[in-house]
Amino acid sequence: MNRNLNAALSVGISGAGEIGPYLVVAAVDSPDFAKGGASLVCDGVNDEVEINNTLSRLSSGGQLILAPGTYNIQTTNITVGANIVFSLPGNTTLNLSAGRTLTITGYLDAGLYTIFSGAGLVVFSDTATSGTNIAVYPQWWGARVGTTFDSAPAIQAALTAVPQGIPVIINGDFRADSTIIIDNRTLNVQGGITRTTASAAVTEVIRIIGNNRARLIGTGVISSQNATPRGVVHVGPNNLFTDVNNI
């Protein structure tokens, strides 16, 4: 459901009638064409004010598009309602300060690129499981495919953000320099997670805990290049479901 921002700012979104009206918010560093077509333009300070004001105009439903740029969320939380499509095109980043929370109960429309940064929290509501956000990806928090970058913090942030019903999808091969904890969440490994020799101090790649609700699934590979690992996957004492094929 990715929309073309140029089209949205000029002739409208193809199929927009299916989701209701759309509004555009631009960042202080957005391209000039985006600022010219935006409902509001942020100034780089407390940008949640403009975002929340625009969301209030979509109280009956629709689509909020954030133009490419950086949005600093500093003093107030943001909640995206269940009737909202929240579109973040490439080169759009929400920088959440510590103590701030972005709650998404609607549909997040974004590709496999970084859209979240900062010490704040992103939370996907349980209500978002009913046909909206069917999966969450660690790339949204900055994970990078390959063995030259530690993606464990991004994978963990994704797991923290979701309720149990929304899986976090590993669809590439990622390096992890710290243990990834699955606590009443679902991690679907379709690619791979590898502990490299550079991260030999990690005792295990994945630790599974929770009250019968933590799940490690998929057809991917979880491995360690350390010659003497303590264990690649550590399963806690509860009855947990795992069906990753290649551990």
Side-chain angles (χ1 to χ4, degrees), residues 74-141:
Q74 297 171 307
T75 61
T76 308
N77 298 331
I78 296 174
T79 297
V80 179
N83 57 353
I84 298 294
V85 174
F86 191 40
S87 295
L88 306 178
N91 298 313
T92 301
T93 303
L94 286 161
N95 180 30
L96 288 94
S97 296
R100 300 282 65 83
T101 301
L102 167 65
T103 301
I104 299 173
T105 62
Y107 180 84
L108 176 62
D109 175 25
L112 297 180
Y113 41 73
T114 302
I115 55 176
F116 303 129
S117 67
L121 293 177
V122 179
V123 176
F124 288 83
S125 170
D126 282 313
T127 59
T129 62
S130 56
T132 52
N133 290 289
I134 59 174
V136 167
Y137 299 89
Q139 287 95 325
W140 292 346
W141 284 265

Side-chain angles (χ1 to χ4, degrees), residues 160-241:
T160 299
V162 296
Q164 200 278 337
I166 300 179
V168 173
I169 304 293
I170 303 296
N171 59 352
D173 294 321
F174 297 95
R175 166 179 158 181
D177 288 2
S178 57
T179 299
I180 297 165
I181 298 174
I182 307 176
D183 182 1
N184 290 331
R185 303 292 193 272
T186 299
L187 184 65
N188 187 337
V189 181
Q190 297 298 324
I193 302 174
T194 300
R195 184 174 88 204
T196 68
T197 54
S199 55
V202 179
T203 55
E204 60 260 337
V205 180
I206 291 181
R207 183 180 304 150
I208 305 174
I209 61 177
N211 297 317
N212 295 322
R213 298 187 66 194
R215 302 183 67 218
L216 176 61
I217 64 175
T219 58
V221 177
I222 300 172
S223 61
S224 172
Q225 293 181 4
N226 183 10
T228 56
R230 193 183 83 177
V232 177
V233 176
H234 175 79
V235 181
N238 298 307
N239 294 320
L240 305 167
F241 304 95

